[in-house]
Amino acid sequence: MHEAAIAQSLIEIIQQEMAKAKATRLLSATVVHGRLTNLVPEALSFAFEAMTMDTPLAGATLHLRQVPLVVRCFGCGEEFTPEDDNLLLMPCPKCGEEFGHTVVTGKELYLETIEAE
Amino acid sequence: MATEIPVVRNILEANDRIADQLRKLFAAHKVFVPNLISSPGAGKTTLLERTLTDLKGELRMAVIEGDVTTDNDARRVAATGAKAVQIETDGGCHLNGSMILEALASLDLSELDILFIENVGNLVCPVEFDLGEDCKVGLLSVTEGDDKPEKYPQLFTVGKAMVLNKVDLLPYVDFDVERATRGARALNPGLEVFSVSCRNGDGLGAWYDWLRAAVAAKKA
């Protein structure tokens, strides 16, 4: 994952949303990231802090919420989260099928909400 | 007074908008665009040199080369006679949509059947940035270890094909082709796997057939 580029896009979106709401100071922002995006929270927080210094976004709290990987079994349709975070072998706990599962959640990367004044 | 503003906007939306434009351009010109992604040294440029040489005269091909610095790769590709456009990312670890848009200014899409994008050598960041390509192709060499699909699942989950390079070295390394294939197919059962050696040419025929079929499908 490329946290500095993500921070840059995130900041642009926040600035647009603050302008729409006529807000002048950002208090917090909540970012949702799926397990498969491999986002490193500390790296994004650091990039966000560094890039917002001396702007109306400075000092805001960045909330990062990870969404677990949930897949739907190719064999029986059971939805499950692979044990031990093992992405190589993910046997279905119900029928044992290992291949062809569909990703239900885990690919997300979006700004969910901001709090501003 | 503080207010909470619900947003729900994809963080990479600016890149995604450019990627949509690129996709329309490629579709209008019926050019097949694979995005080659691998770690440094897996053999992306060598695979391209072989492909551009062996299919010369049959398919019209060009390459967009992404590197952190130097135009070494573009010169290697240009030596085959194919058009190469170099993008130097100046430290950036991936190509993004606007870089491709800029590179297209030096290419005539109406004269092409395939436009290869050789991404910056990196198994992580390039995967996140949509370049409007038809598909991502992951390259893995047998000297890197058979656990790579497991350690870098994003690429092998979204890729359409995996090229396993340097198979001529299999007798000398502990690489389990079955394990790597299995790992890559866990989340991607339709993944095409090509075992090749760009050094001696083994297995390249199947890769070329796949490219021919993809070009035909794009033109249909």
Side-chain angles (χ1 to χ4, degrees), chain A residues 1-2 6 9 13 16-17 21 27 36 38 87-88 98-100 109-117, chain B residues 1-11 13 93-94 124-125 128 150 153-154 182-183 185-187 189:
Chain A
M1 250 305 170
H2 197 65
I6 290 168
S9 304
I13 293 173
Q16 290 167 12
E17 294 294 331
L27 301 175
L36 279 181
N38 272 18
L87 299 177
L88 171 64
E98 289 174 6
F99 294 107
L109 181 61
Y110 62 90
L111 172 64
E112 186 176 60
T113 171
I114 61 175
E115 205 188 346
E117 60 180 20
Chain B
M1 196 189 94
T3 38
E4 184 171 308
I5 306 164
V7 182
V8 191
R9 281 174 63 179
N10 186 339
I11 292 175
E13 63 179 17
C93 59
H94 61 269
V124 184
C125 315
E128 299 298 331
E150 173 186 355
Q154 301 99 315
R182 190 184 172 83
R185 282 187 174 151
L187 268 181

mmCIF file of all heavy atoms in Angstrom, chain A residues 1-2 6 9 13 16-17 21 27 36 38 87-88 98-100 109-117, chain B residues 1-11 13 93-94 124-125 128 150 153-154 182-183 185-187 189:
data_model
loop_
_atom_site.group_PDB
_atom_site.id
_atom_site.type_symbol
_atom_site.label_atom_id
_atom_site.label_comp_id
_atom_site.label_asym_id
_atom_site.label_seq_id
_atom_site.Cartn_x
_atom_site.Cartn_y
_atom_site.Cartn_z
ATOM 1 N N MET A 1 0.838 -1.210 0.000
ATOM 2 C CA MET A 1 0.000 0.000 0.000
ATOM 3 C C MET A 1 0.866 1.250 0.000
ATOM 4 O O MET A 1 1.994 1.223 0.462
ATOM 5 C CB MET A 1 -0.868 0.007 1.255
ATOM 6 C CG MET A 1 -2.315 -0.212 0.957
ATOM 7 S SD MET A 1 -2.908 0.969 -0.234
ATOM 8 C CE MET A 1 -4.483 0.267 -0.586
ATOM 9 N N HIS A 2 0.300 2.304 -0.530
ATOM 10 C CA HIS A 2 1.074 3.506 -0.680
ATOM 11 C C HIS A 2 0.426 4.618 0.149
ATOM 12 O O HIS A 2 -0.393 5.381 -0.332
ATOM 13 C CB HIS A 2 1.121 3.882 -2.151
ATOM 14 C CG HIS A 2 2.216 4.845 -2.433
ATOM 15 N ND1 HIS A 2 3.537 4.505 -2.279
ATOM 16 C CD2 HIS A 2 2.192 6.123 -2.835
ATOM 17 C CE1 HIS A 2 4.272 5.554 -2.579
ATOM 18 N NE2 HIS A 2 3.492 6.543 -2.920
ATOM 19 N N ILE A 6 -2.280 7.815 -0.597
ATOM 20 C CA ILE A 6 -3.631 7.689 -0.034
ATOM 21 C C ILE A 6 -3.945 8.900 0.830
ATOM 22 O O ILE A 6 -5.034 9.481 0.748
ATOM 23 C CB ILE A 6 -3.752 6.382 0.779
ATOM 24 C CG1 ILE A 6 -3.713 5.211 -0.203
ATOM 25 C CG2 ILE A 6 -5.014 6.356 1.610
ATOM 26 C CD1 ILE A 6 -3.545 3.886 0.458
ATOM 27 N N SER A 9 -4.842 11.875 -1.439
ATOM 28 C CA SER A 9 -6.211 11.797 -1.973
ATOM 29 C C SER A 9 -7.231 12.047 -0.867
ATOM 30 O O SER A 9 -8.235 12.734 -1.083
ATOM 31 C CB SER A 9 -6.492 10.415 -2.567
ATOM 32 O OG SER A 9 -5.552 10.105 -3.541
ATOM 33 N N ILE A 13 -10.178 14.986 -0.699
ATOM 34 C CA ILE A 13 -11.610 14.707 -0.523
ATOM 35 C C ILE A 13 -12.156 15.443 0.705
ATOM 36 O O ILE A 13 -13.226 16.042 0.666
ATOM 37 C CB ILE A 13 -11.857 13.185 -0.394
ATOM 38 C CG1 ILE A 13 -11.519 12.501 -1.726
ATOM 39 C CG2 ILE A 13 -13.287 12.894 0.001
ATOM 40 C CD1 ILE A 13 -11.555 10.991 -1.660
ATOM 41 N N GLN A 16 -12.678 19.098 -0.054
ATOM 42 C CA GLN A 16 -13.884 19.316 -0.866
ATOM 43 C C GLN A 16 -15.141 19.234 -0.005
ATOM 44 O O GLN A 16 -16.048 20.073 -0.115
ATOM 45 C CB GLN A 16 -13.980 18.265 -1.977
ATOM 46 C CG GLN A 16 -12.939 18.437 -3.072
ATOM 47 C CD GLN A 16 -12.869 17.209 -3.980
ATOM 48 O OE1 GLN A 16 -13.742 16.341 -3.921
ATOM 49 N NE2 GLN A 16 -11.834 17.144 -4.805
ATOM 50 N N GLU A 17 -15.177 18.223 0.874
ATOM 51 C CA GLU A 17 -16.366 18.040 1.712
ATOM 52 C C GLU A 17 -16.504 19.179 2.728
ATOM 53 O O GLU A 17 -17.607 19.616 3.023
ATOM 54 C CB GLU A 17 -16.310 16.681 2.431
ATOM 55 C CG GLU A 17 -16.385 15.484 1.510
ATOM 56 C CD GLU A 17 -17.729 15.362 0.792
ATOM 57 O OE1 GLU A 17 -18.756 15.800 1.349
ATOM 58 O OE2 GLU A 17 -17.747 14.839 -0.345
ATOM 59 N N ALA A 21 -19.617 21.951 3.085
ATOM 60 C CA ALA A 21 -20.331 22.168 4.349
ATOM 61 C C ALA A 21 -19.977 23.512 4.982
ATOM 62 O O ALA A 21 -20.436 23.812 6.077
ATOM 63 C CB ALA A 21 -19.998 21.020 5.308
ATOM 64 N N LEU A 27 -12.227 18.200 12.839
ATOM 65 C CA LEU A 27 -12.017 17.600 14.150
ATOM 66 C C LEU A 27 -11.588 16.141 14.018
ATOM 67 O O LEU A 27 -10.672 15.686 14.679
ATOM 68 C CB LEU A 27 -13.298 17.693 14.984
ATOM 69 C CG LEU A 27 -13.819 19.121 15.223
ATOM 70 C CD1 LEU A 27 -15.143 19.094 15.954
ATOM 71 C CD2 LEU A 27 -12.792 19.927 16.016
ATOM 72 N N LEU A 36 -7.737 -6.833 2.925
ATOM 73 C CA LEU A 36 -6.956 -7.135 1.722
ATOM 74 C C LEU A 36 -6.190 -5.932 1.174
ATOM 75 O O LEU A 36 -5.338 -6.090 0.323
ATOM 76 C CB LEU A 36 -7.871 -7.678 0.615
ATOM 77 C CG LEU A 36 -8.268 -9.147 0.678
ATOM 78 C CD1 LEU A 36 -9.146 -9.491 -0.514
ATOM 79 C CD2 LEU A 36 -7.051 -10.056 0.702
ATOM 80 N N ASN A 38 -4.177 -4.186 2.873
ATOM 81 C CA ASN A 38 -2.880 -4.149 3.573
ATOM 82 C C ASN A 38 -2.436 -2.751 3.971
ATOM 83 O O ASN A 38 -1.244 -2.457 3.962
ATOM 84 C CB ASN A 38 -1.785 -4.775 2.712
ATOM 85 C CG ASN A 38 -1.705 -6.270 2.938
ATOM 86 O OD1 ASN A 38 -2.646 -6.869 3.456
ATOM 87 N ND2 ASN A 38 -0.598 -6.870 2.570
ATOM 88 N N LEU A 87 -4.080 -16.497 4.274
ATOM 89 C CA LEU A 87 -4.691 -16.197 2.987
ATOM 90 C C LEU A 87 -4.328 -17.228 1.922
ATOM 91 O O LEU A 87 -4.759 -17.140 0.791
ATOM 92 C CB LEU A 87 -4.283 -14.791 2.524
ATOM 93 C CG LEU A 87 -4.708 -13.656 3.461
ATOM 94 C CD1 LEU A 87 -4.205 -12.329 2.949
ATOM 95 C CD2 LEU A 87 -6.210 -13.612 3.642
ATOM 96 N N LEU A 88 -3.504 -18.192 2.284
ATOM 97 C CA LEU A 88 -3.142 -19.207 1.299
ATOM 98 C C LEU A 88 -4.146 -20.348 1.333
ATOM 99 O O LEU A 88 -4.735 -20.718 0.336
ATOM 100 C CB LEU A 88 -1.736 -19.743 1.581
ATOM 101 C CG LEU A 88 -1.330 -20.966 0.756
ATOM 102 C CD1 LEU A 88 -1.279 -20.624 -0.725
ATOM 103 C CD2 LEU A 88 0.020 -21.495 1.220
ATOM 104 N N GLU A 98 -11.592 -25.339 -0.580
ATOM 105 C CA GLU A 98 -10.486 -24.396 -0.396
ATOM 106 C C GLU A 98 -10.397 -23.349 -1.492
ATOM 107 O O GLU A 98 -9.727 -22.333 -1.349
ATOM 108 C CB GLU A 98 -9.149 -25.161 -0.368
ATOM 109 C CG GLU A 98 -8.965 -25.982 0.875
ATOM 110 C CD GLU A 98 -7.719 -26.842 0.807
ATOM 111 O OE1 GLU A 98 -6.952 -26.708 -0.158
ATOM 112 O OE2 GLU A 98 -7.520 -27.640 1.741
ATOM 113 N N PHE A 99 -11.046 -23.606 -2.619
ATOM 114 C CA PHE A 99 -10.831 -22.728 -3.761
ATOM 115 C C PHE A 99 -12.077 -21.960 -4.198
ATOM 116 O O PHE A 99 -13.198 -22.393 -3.975
ATOM 117 C CB PHE A 99 -10.323 -23.536 -4.961
ATOM 118 C CG PHE A 99 -8.972 -24.102 -4.718
ATOM 119 C CD1 PHE A 99 -8.810 -25.453 -4.496
ATOM 120 C CD2 PHE A 99 -7.870 -23.279 -4.672
ATOM 121 C CE1 PHE A 99 -7.556 -25.978 -4.253
ATOM 122 C CE2 PHE A 99 -6.606 -23.793 -4.430
ATOM 123 C CZ PHE A 99 -6.457 -25.145 -4.218
ATOM 124 N N GLY A 100 -11.807 -20.838 -4.858
ATOM 125 C CA GLY A 100 -12.873 -20.160 -5.588
ATOM 126 C C GLY A 100 -13.822 -19.340 -4.745
ATOM 127 O O GLY A 100 -14.882 -18.936 -5.219
ATOM 128 N N LEU A 109 -11.832 0.695 0.795
ATOM 129 C CA LEU A 109 -10.914 1.781 1.146
ATOM 130 C C LEU A 109 -11.661 3.078 0.880
ATOM 131 O O LEU A 109 -11.703 3.559 -0.239
ATOM 132 C CB LEU A 109 -9.630 1.726 0.303
ATOM 133 C CG LEU A 109 -8.620 2.836 0.646
ATOM 134 C CD1 LEU A 109 -8.163 2.750 2.097
ATOM 135 C CD2 LEU A 109 -7.422 2.796 -0.275
ATOM 136 N N TYR A 110 -12.348 3.568 1.913
ATOM 137 C CA TYR A 110 -13.108 4.800 1.704
ATOM 138 C C TYR A 110 -13.172 5.672 2.953
ATOM 139 O O TYR A 110 -12.930 5.213 4.068
ATOM 140 C CB TYR A 110 -14.526 4.487 1.187
ATOM 141 C CG TYR A 110 -15.398 3.671 2.116
ATOM 142 C CD1 TYR A 110 -16.209 4.279 3.060
ATOM 143 C CD2 TYR A 110 -15.417 2.277 2.019
ATOM 144 C CE1 TYR A 110 -17.019 3.533 3.900
ATOM 145 C CE2 TYR A 110 -16.212 1.516 2.861
ATOM 146 C CZ TYR A 110 -17.011 2.155 3.792
ATOM 147 O OH TYR A 110 -17.810 1.405 4.630
ATOM 148 N N LEU A 111 -13.460 6.954 2.705
ATOM 149 C CA LEU A 111 -13.663 7.904 3.791
ATOM 150 C C LEU A 111 -15.123 7.804 4.175
ATOM 151 O O LEU A 111 -16.001 8.039 3.348
ATOM 152 C CB LEU A 111 -13.328 9.318 3.308
ATOM 153 C CG LEU A 111 -13.657 10.464 4.265
ATOM 154 C CD1 LEU A 111 -12.839 10.372 5.545
ATOM 155 C CD2 LEU A 111 -13.403 11.803 3.585
ATOM 156 N N GLU A 112 -15.410 7.432 5.419
ATOM 157 C CA GLU A 112 -16.797 7.202 5.806
ATOM 158 C C GLU A 112 -17.470 8.471 6.283
ATOM 159 O O GLU A 112 -18.580 8.792 5.874
ATOM 160 C CB GLU A 112 -16.850 6.151 6.915
ATOM 161 C CG GLU A 112 -18.255 5.736 7.280
ATOM 162 C CD GLU A 112 -18.255 4.626 8.322
ATOM 163 O OE1 GLU A 112 -17.725 4.847 9.435
ATOM 164 O OE2 GLU A 112 -18.734 3.537 8.013
ATOM 165 N N THR A 113 -16.780 9.205 7.140
ATOM 166 C CA THR A 113 -17.419 10.393 7.702
ATOM 167 C C THR A 113 -16.356 11.377 8.193
ATOM 168 O O THR A 113 -15.229 10.976 8.476
ATOM 169 C CB THR A 113 -18.370 9.985 8.863
ATOM 170 O OG1 THR A 113 -18.815 11.163 9.525
ATOM 171 C CG2 THR A 113 -17.679 9.122 9.874
ATOM 172 N N ILE A 114 -16.713 12.655 8.254
ATOM 173 C CA ILE A 114 -15.813 13.613 8.881
ATOM 174 C C ILE A 114 -16.599 14.408 9.917
ATOM 175 O O ILE A 114 -17.828 14.524 9.834
ATOM 176 C CB ILE A 114 -15.160 14.601 7.867
ATOM 177 C CG1 ILE A 114 -16.216 15.434 7.150
ATOM 178 C CG2 ILE A 114 -14.280 13.875 6.885
ATOM 179 C CD1 ILE A 114 -15.615 16.511 6.240
ATOM 180 N N GLU A 115 -15.891 14.939 10.872
ATOM 181 C CA GLU A 115 -16.511 15.791 11.882
ATOM 182 C C GLU A 115 -15.778 17.126 11.784
ATOM 183 O O GLU A 115 -14.545 17.174 11.888
ATOM 184 C CB GLU A 115 -16.287 15.153 13.247
ATOM 185 C CG GLU A 115 -17.292 15.523 14.291
ATOM 186 C CD GLU A 115 -16.857 14.990 15.649
ATOM 187 O OE1 GLU A 115 -15.951 14.137 15.700
ATOM 188 O OE2 GLU A 115 -17.403 15.471 16.641
ATOM 189 N N ALA A 116 -16.519 18.196 11.525
ATOM 190 C CA ALA A 116 -15.859 19.484 11.316
ATOM 191 C C ALA A 116 -16.706 20.599 11.887
ATOM 192 O O ALA A 116 -17.877 20.409 12.215
ATOM 193 C CB ALA A 116 -15.636 19.710 9.829
ATOM 194 N N GLU A 117 -16.092 21.790 12.027
ATOM 195 C CA GLU A 117 -16.879 22.940 12.513
ATOM 196 C C GLU A 117 -16.490 24.195 11.751
ATOM 197 O O GLU A 117 -15.482 24.190 11.030
ATOM 198 C CB GLU A 117 -16.670 23.136 14.014
ATOM 199 C CG GLU A 117 -15.211 23.394 14.386
ATOM 200 C CD GLU A 117 -14.999 23.580 15.882
ATOM 201 O OE1 GLU A 117 -15.843 23.159 16.664
ATOM 202 O OE2 GLU A 117 -13.978 24.172 16.246
ATOM 203 N N MET B 1 -19.981 25.269 15.833
ATOM 204 C CA MET B 1 -20.514 24.002 16.322
ATOM 205 C C MET B 1 -20.055 22.864 15.422
ATOM 206 O O MET B 1 -20.087 22.974 14.201
ATOM 207 C CB MET B 1 -22.042 24.087 16.352
ATOM 208 C CG MET B 1 -22.682 23.013 17.193
ATOM 209 S SD MET B 1 -24.477 23.001 16.969
ATOM 210 C CE MET B 1 -24.657 21.778 15.701
ATOM 211 N N ALA B 2 -19.644 21.790 16.061
ATOM 212 C CA ALA B 2 -19.140 20.657 15.269
ATOM 213 C C ALA B 2 -20.294 19.856 14.676
ATOM 214 O O ALA B 2 -21.297 19.622 15.339
ATOM 215 C CB ALA B 2 -18.290 19.756 16.154
ATOM 216 N N THR B 3 -20.148 19.494 13.454
ATOM 217 C CA THR B 3 -21.157 18.643 12.850
ATOM 218 C C THR B 3 -20.486 17.435 12.234
ATOM 219 O O THR B 3 -19.362 17.516 11.749
ATOM 220 C CB THR B 3 -21.910 19.353 11.702
ATOM 221 O OG1 THR B 3 -20.967 20.132 10.996
ATOM 222 C CG2 THR B 3 -23.055 20.182 12.188
ATOM 223 N N GLU B 4 -21.232 16.342 12.243
ATOM 224 C CA GLU B 4 -20.702 15.148 11.602
ATOM 225 C C GLU B 4 -21.242 15.102 10.179
ATOM 226 O O GLU B 4 -22.428 15.269 9.941
ATOM 227 C CB GLU B 4 -21.128 13.909 12.377
ATOM 228 C CG GLU B 4 -20.490 12.673 11.774
ATOM 229 C CD GLU B 4 -20.704 11.429 12.631
ATOM 230 O OE1 GLU B 4 -20.400 11.505 13.830
ATOM 231 O OE2 GLU B 4 -21.159 10.422 12.080
ATOM 232 N N ILE B 5 -20.342 14.938 9.245
ATOM 233 C CA ILE B 5 -20.731 14.916 7.839
ATOM 234 C C ILE B 5 -20.466 13.531 7.258
ATOM 235 O O ILE B 5 -19.323 13.108 7.175
ATOM 236 C CB ILE B 5 -19.916 15.966 7.043
ATOM 237 C CG1 ILE B 5 -20.056 17.342 7.713
ATOM 238 C CG2 ILE B 5 -20.344 15.999 5.587
ATOM 239 C CD1 ILE B 5 -19.010 18.339 7.244
ATOM 240 N N PRO B 6 -21.539 12.811 6.898
ATOM 241 C CA PRO B 6 -21.301 11.512 6.271
ATOM 242 C C PRO B 6 -20.747 11.707 4.861
ATOM 243 O O PRO B 6 -21.218 12.568 4.123
ATOM 244 C CB PRO B 6 -22.689 10.856 6.236
ATOM 245 C CG PRO B 6 -23.657 11.951 6.448
ATOM 246 C CD PRO B 6 -22.950 13.165 6.966
ATOM 247 N N VAL B 7 -19.745 10.965 4.502
ATOM 248 C CA VAL B 7 -19.097 11.186 3.204
ATOM 249 C C VAL B 7 -19.207 9.953 2.303
ATOM 250 O O VAL B 7 -19.848 9.986 1.255
ATOM 251 C CB VAL B 7 -17.611 11.549 3.396
ATOM 252 C CG1 VAL B 7 -16.963 11.836 2.062
ATOM 253 C CG2 VAL B 7 -17.467 12.754 4.325
ATOM 254 N N VAL B 8 -18.585 8.854 2.736
ATOM 255 C CA VAL B 8 -18.514 7.614 1.966
ATOM 256 C C VAL B 8 -18.034 7.851 0.534
ATOM 257 O O VAL B 8 -18.788 7.764 -0.430
ATOM 258 C CB VAL B 8 -19.858 6.837 1.987
ATOM 259 C CG1 VAL B 8 -19.645 5.436 1.398
ATOM 260 C CG2 VAL B 8 -20.385 6.720 3.386
ATOM 261 N N ARG B 9 -16.790 8.214 0.424
ATOM 262 C CA ARG B 9 -16.191 8.377 -0.910
ATOM 263 C C ARG B 9 -14.926 7.538 -1.004
ATOM 264 O O ARG B 9 -14.097 7.543 -0.105
ATOM 265 C CB ARG B 9 -15.853 9.857 -1.158
ATOM 266 C CG ARG B 9 -17.079 10.677 -1.543
ATOM 267 C CD ARG B 9 -16.770 12.144 -1.642
ATOM 268 N NE ARG B 9 -15.809 12.471 -2.680
ATOM 269 C CZ ARG B 9 -15.424 13.736 -2.940
ATOM 270 N NH1 ARG B 9 -15.928 14.745 -2.232
ATOM 271 N NH2 ARG B 9 -14.551 13.972 -3.888
ATOM 272 N N ASN B 10 -14.797 6.836 -2.100
ATOM 273 C CA ASN B 10 -13.622 6.007 -2.355
ATOM 274 C C ASN B 10 -12.380 6.897 -2.371
ATOM 275 O O ASN B 10 -12.340 7.901 -3.077
ATOM 276 C CB ASN B 10 -13.805 5.311 -3.695
ATOM 277 C CG ASN B 10 -12.698 4.329 -3.973
ATOM 278 O OD1 ASN B 10 -11.611 4.409 -3.399
ATOM 279 N ND2 ASN B 10 -12.962 3.389 -4.844
ATOM 280 N N ILE B 11 -11.385 6.535 -1.577
ATOM 281 C CA ILE B 11 -10.225 7.411 -1.426
ATOM 282 C C ILE B 11 -9.413 7.523 -2.707
ATOM 283 O O ILE B 11 -8.811 8.555 -2.977
ATOM 284 C CB ILE B 11 -9.359 6.928 -0.233
ATOM 285 C CG1 ILE B 11 -10.154 7.181 1.050
ATOM 286 C CG2 ILE B 11 -8.014 7.648 -0.191
ATOM 287 C CD1 ILE B 11 -9.515 6.674 2.295
ATOM 288 N N GLU B 13 -10.607 7.738 -5.678
ATOM 289 C CA GLU B 13 -11.572 8.043 -6.748
ATOM 290 C C GLU B 13 -10.974 8.888 -7.870
ATOM 291 O O GLU B 13 -11.367 8.754 -9.023
ATOM 292 C CB GLU B 13 -12.818 8.728 -6.180
ATOM 293 C CG GLU B 13 -12.506 10.075 -5.557
ATOM 294 C CD GLU B 13 -13.757 10.782 -5.019
ATOM 295 O OE1 GLU B 13 -14.783 10.124 -4.846
ATOM 296 O OE2 GLU B 13 -13.667 11.999 -4.792
ATOM 297 N N CYS B 93 6.610 4.503 -6.181
ATOM 298 C CA CYS B 93 6.708 3.051 -6.210
ATOM 299 C C CYS B 93 5.673 2.405 -7.118
ATOM 300 O O CYS B 93 5.557 1.192 -7.157
ATOM 301 C CB CYS B 93 6.560 2.523 -4.792
ATOM 302 S SG CYS B 93 5.001 3.003 -4.064
ATOM 303 N N HIS B 94 4.894 3.198 -7.842
ATOM 304 C CA HIS B 94 3.866 2.625 -8.715
ATOM 305 C C HIS B 94 3.542 3.611 -9.826
ATOM 306 O O HIS B 94 3.862 4.797 -9.723
ATOM 307 C CB HIS B 94 2.595 2.349 -7.909
ATOM 308 C CG HIS B 94 2.013 3.606 -7.306
ATOM 309 N ND1 HIS B 94 2.355 4.042 -6.047
ATOM 310 C CD2 HIS B 94 1.176 4.535 -7.808
ATOM 311 C CE1 HIS B 94 1.730 5.185 -5.803
ATOM 312 N NE2 HIS B 94 1.014 5.517 -6.855
ATOM 313 N N VAL B 124 3.347 -4.732 -4.268
ATOM 314 C CA VAL B 124 2.289 -4.226 -3.394
ATOM 315 C C VAL B 124 1.544 -3.029 -4.000
ATOM 316 O O VAL B 124 0.400 -3.147 -4.440
ATOM 317 C CB VAL B 124 2.864 -3.854 -2.010
ATOM 318 C CG1 VAL B 124 1.747 -3.427 -1.077
ATOM 319 C CG2 VAL B 124 3.623 -5.024 -1.410
ATOM 320 N N CYS B 125 2.213 -1.871 -4.045
ATOM 321 C CA CYS B 125 1.525 -0.626 -4.414
ATOM 322 C C CYS B 125 0.902 -0.620 -5.817
ATOM 323 O O CYS B 125 -0.206 -0.118 -5.990
ATOM 324 C CB CYS B 125 2.458 0.558 -4.265
ATOM 325 S SG CYS B 125 3.375 0.514 -2.723
ATOM 326 N N GLU B 128 -2.868 -1.444 -6.392
ATOM 327 C CA GLU B 128 -3.980 -0.602 -5.945
ATOM 328 C C GLU B 128 -4.403 0.429 -6.971
ATOM 329 O O GLU B 128 -5.470 1.018 -6.862
ATOM 330 C CB GLU B 128 -3.581 0.153 -4.667
ATOM 331 C CG GLU B 128 -3.234 -0.755 -3.503
ATOM 332 C CD GLU B 128 -4.403 -1.607 -3.067
ATOM 333 O OE1 GLU B 128 -5.562 -1.170 -3.241
ATOM 334 O OE2 GLU B 128 -4.156 -2.716 -2.567
ATOM 335 N N GLU B 150 1.025 -16.177 -1.324
ATOM 336 C CA GLU B 150 0.457 -16.178 0.017
ATOM 337 C C GLU B 150 0.813 -14.875 0.742
ATOM 338 O O GLU B 150 0.007 -14.312 1.484
ATOM 339 C CB GLU B 150 1.051 -17.398 0.702
ATOM 340 C CG GLU B 150 0.798 -17.606 2.130
ATOM 341 C CD GLU B 150 1.626 -18.826 2.606
ATOM 342 O OE1 GLU B 150 2.272 -19.504 1.779
ATOM 343 O OE2 GLU B 150 1.610 -19.056 3.804
ATOM 344 N N PRO B 153 -1.108 -11.344 -1.379
ATOM 345 C CA PRO B 153 -2.327 -11.886 -1.981
ATOM 346 C C PRO B 153 -3.044 -10.930 -2.938
ATOM 347 O O PRO B 153 -3.726 -11.385 -3.841
ATOM 348 C CB PRO B 153 -3.202 -12.211 -0.776
ATOM 349 C CG PRO B 153 -2.687 -11.353 0.325
ATOM 350 C CD PRO B 153 -1.226 -11.187 0.074
ATOM 351 N N GLN B 154 -2.856 -9.603 -2.766
ATOM 352 C CA GLN B 154 -3.645 -8.674 -3.590
ATOM 353 C C GLN B 154 -3.446 -8.936 -5.069
ATOM 354 O O GLN B 154 -4.391 -9.063 -5.835
ATOM 355 C CB GLN B 154 -3.273 -7.206 -3.326
ATOM 356 C CG GLN B 154 -3.456 -6.753 -1.916
ATOM 357 C CD GLN B 154 -2.135 -6.777 -1.178
ATOM 358 O OE1 GLN B 154 -1.364 -7.724 -1.277
ATOM 359 N NE2 GLN B 154 -1.867 -5.742 -0.425
ATOM 360 N N ARG B 182 -1.401 -23.205 -6.108
ATOM 361 C CA ARG B 182 -2.498 -23.416 -5.169
ATOM 362 C C ARG B 182 -2.761 -22.125 -4.383
ATOM 363 O O ARG B 182 -3.895 -21.699 -4.230
ATOM 364 C CB ARG B 182 -2.059 -24.530 -4.225
ATOM 365 C CG ARG B 182 -3.065 -25.098 -3.312
ATOM 366 C CD ARG B 182 -2.308 -26.111 -2.425
ATOM 367 N NE ARG B 182 -3.165 -26.598 -1.375
ATOM 368 C CZ ARG B 182 -4.025 -27.584 -1.533
ATOM 369 N NH1 ARG B 182 -4.134 -28.192 -2.694
ATOM 370 N NH2 ARG B 182 -4.781 -27.977 -0.529
ATOM 371 N N GLY B 183 -1.664 -21.494 -3.918
ATOM 372 C CA GLY B 183 -1.803 -20.261 -3.152
ATOM 373 C C GLY B 183 -2.457 -19.185 -3.988
ATOM 374 O O GLY B 183 -3.323 -18.446 -3.533
ATOM 375 N N ARG B 185 -4.399 -19.583 -6.540
ATOM 376 C CA ARG B 185 -5.769 -19.890 -6.981
ATOM 377 C C ARG B 185 -6.785 -19.952 -5.836
ATOM 378 O O ARG B 185 -7.983 -20.088 -6.084
ATOM 379 C CB ARG B 185 -5.784 -21.209 -7.751
ATOM 380 C CG ARG B 185 -5.265 -21.029 -9.174
ATOM 381 C CD ARG B 185 -5.427 -22.285 -9.983
ATOM 382 N NE ARG B 185 -5.057 -22.057 -11.377
ATOM 383 C CZ ARG B 185 -4.567 -23.003 -12.171
ATOM 384 N NH1 ARG B 185 -4.414 -24.214 -11.717
ATOM 385 N NH2 ARG B 185 -4.257 -22.714 -13.418
ATOM 386 N N ALA B 186 -6.310 -19.835 -4.605
ATOM 387 C CA ALA B 186 -7.231 -19.945 -3.475
ATOM 388 C C ALA B 186 -8.360 -18.929 -3.608
ATOM 389 O O ALA B 186 -9.524 -19.239 -3.407
ATOM 390 C CB ALA B 186 -6.486 -19.753 -2.161
ATOM 391 N N LEU B 187 -8.027 -17.704 -3.960
ATOM 392 C CA LEU B 187 -9.051 -16.668 -4.099
ATOM 393 C C LEU B 187 -9.339 -16.342 -5.558
ATOM 394 O O LEU B 187 -10.065 -15.422 -5.853
ATOM 395 C CB LEU B 187 -8.603 -15.389 -3.398
ATOM 396 C CG LEU B 187 -9.027 -15.215 -1.942
ATOM 397 C CD1 LEU B 187 -8.541 -13.894 -1.399
ATOM 398 C CD2 LEU B 187 -10.535 -15.312 -1.787
ATOM 399 N N PRO B 189 -9.822 -18.723 -8.717
ATOM 400 C CA PRO B 189 -9.789 -20.038 -9.363
ATOM 401 C C PRO B 189 -9.592 -19.965 -10.879
ATOM 402 O O PRO B 189 -9.102 -20.910 -11.486
ATOM 403 C CB PRO B 189 -11.148 -20.645 -9.021
ATOM 404 C CG PRO B 189 -12.023 -19.491 -8.674
ATOM 405 C CD PRO B 189 -11.131 -18.439 -8.103
#
